[in-house]
């Protein structure tokens, strides 16, 4: 068995620091780098991509809503063409920086409220993913497994990988429990590791209710901004390796 371990990072900007990217980059196999809208800036992007490149970690673009104060976790409404331009603007910046550093962006993952909304609304997901594919038709779309994001990627015949979360709770429809609600977050590293081993071995998301939802478990996400992020990352990696599961950057697959 083979799986990718990804983390959201590059989310500092200026003198404001967020997370321990250096420690995470020694554990994960893919990095989702903020593109400057919900977090990050040009210097942070360059530093994070350089560190990922030097460690052989796959680089992904991680665009979100223009919401620094809310960290991209507040819902926004915008026309489809404006959403597309927002995606293209951020993805283009990530690709340009990677090229300047002698590396490349392998995957694309929506952030925060943009991702949650797209997991519920296939037309929004299609608008965002179509825009990304206009920039790079071969990019791997990292989608929330079992949601409208996956349906949109499949309908576009895009290269995609299914993502599951080590530190988040699930509803019965494979969407994430809203932050602030009971069961939304997993804080204990050992619990996170046990959940991910169970998800991967069963090929299913296990909702908080206990319901099993068959899903493509291609990549496990760890949120880099939490205080337990590094401990959870280490525990999840150790748990997977103990079960003989190989960790490697995502490859993606197509529907057809």
């Amino acid at each position: 068995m083979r799986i990718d371990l990804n983390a959201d990072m590059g989310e500092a900007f200026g003198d404001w620091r967020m997370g321990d990217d250096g420690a995470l980059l020694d554990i994960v196999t893919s990095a989702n780098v903020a593109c400057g809208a919900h977090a990050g800036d040009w210097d942070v992007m360059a530093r994070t991509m350089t560190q990922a490149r030097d460690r052989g970690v796959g680089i992904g673009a991680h665009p979100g809503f223009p919401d620094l104060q809310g960290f991209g976790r507040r819902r926004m409404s915008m026309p489809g063409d404006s959403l597309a331009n927002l995606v293209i603007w951020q993805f283009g910046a990530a690709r340009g920086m990677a090229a300047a550093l002698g590396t490349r962006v392998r995957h694309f993952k929506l952030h925060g409220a943009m991702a949650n909304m797209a997991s519920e609304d296939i037309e929004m997901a299609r608008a965002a993913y179509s825009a990304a594919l206009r920039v790079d038709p071969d990019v791997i779309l990292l989608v929330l497994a079992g949601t409208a994001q996956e349906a949109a990627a499949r309908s576009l015949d895009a290269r995609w990988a299914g993502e599951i979360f080590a530190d988040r709770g699930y509803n019965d429809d494979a969407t994430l429990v809203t932050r602030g609600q009971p069961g939304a977050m997993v804080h204990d590293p050992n619990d996170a590791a046990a959940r991910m081993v169970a998800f991967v071995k069963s090929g299913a998301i296990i909702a908080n209710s206990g319901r099993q939802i068959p899903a493509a478990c291609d990549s496990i996400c760890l949120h880099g901004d939490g205080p337990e992020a590094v401990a959870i990352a280490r525990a999840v990696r150790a748990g997977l390796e103990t079960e003989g599961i190989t960790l490697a950057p995502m490859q993606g697959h197509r529907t057809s």
Side-chain angles (χ1 to χ4, degrees):
M1 300 178 72
R2 172 191 177 109
I3 196 164
D4 175 54
L5 193 60
N6 79 75
D8 302 340
M9 58 183 68
E11 293 174 326
F13 55 91
D15 291 333
W16 186 78
R17 299 298 177 218
M18 171 66 85
D20 189 347
D21 291 352
L24 282 172
L25 283 165
D26 287 331
I27 304 167
V28 301
T29 51
S30 290
N32 317 311
V33 182
C35 298
H38 77 276
D41 65 26
W42 44 95
D43 293 326
V44 172
M45 180 183 281
R47 181 170 65 246
T48 306
M49 286 187 173
T50 298
Q51 292 174 337
R53 177 201 67 193
D54 293 348
R55 289 168 169 81
V57 172
I59 295 171
H62 194 37
F65 284 134
D67 177 28
L68 285 175
Q69 190 176 36
F71 200 61
R73 289 178 176 155
R74 297 184 292 192
R75 294 190 173 218
M76 299 177 68
S77 177
M78 61 177 59
D81 58 350
S82 183
L83 175 67
N85 288 335
L86 177 62
V87 163
I88 291 168
W89 172 57
Q90 294 181 74
F91 192 20
R95 280 170 50 87
M97 184 64 76
L101 296 171
T103 186
R104 67 188 180 99
V105 174
R106 300 184 69 251
H107 70 275
F108 173 96
K109 174 190 169 182
L110 300 176
H111 167 80
M114 185 185 288
N116 290 333
M117 292 170 70
S119 73
E120 303 160 2
D121 183 344
I122 190 170
E123 293 307 319
M124 179 178 176
R126 282 179 59 86
Y129 292 155
S130 294
L133 294 170
R134 285 162 57 193
V135 177
D136 180 1
D138 295 319
V139 72
I140 302 169
L141 302 178
L142 185 54
V143 305
L144 289 176
T147 71
Q149 288 189 19
E150 181 179 331
R154 287 178 177 273
S155 73
L156 293 167
D157 194 27
R159 193 174 167 203
W160 63 276
E163 180 180 45
I164 55 176
F165 286 81
D167 52 7
R168 295 296 308 277
Y170 279 90
N171 298 309
D172 282 356
D173 62 355
T175 60
L176 300 175
V177 176
T178 302
R179 287 175 181 269
Q181 298 298 313
M185 305 302 298
V186 177
H187 297 288
D188 184 87
N190 293 326
D191 286 349
R195 289 173 75 248
M196 289 303 94
V197 169
F199 279 33
V200 174
K201 293 184 77 171
S202 64
I205 289 165
I206 303 174
N208 288 6
S209 67
R211 181 185 179 191
Q212 291 198 14
I213 309 157
C217 300
D218 301 312
S219 185
I220 294 171
C221 176
L222 307 151
H223 286 97
D225 59 298
E228 311 94 350
V230 174
I232 289 176
R234 286 180 176 141
V236 169
R237 180 166 188 132
L240 294 168
E241 290 178 335
T242 297
E243 294 295 321
I245 298 167
T246 299
L247 277 75
M250 71 191 81
Q251 297 301 310
H253 34 206
R254 292 187 189 272
T255 303
S256 62

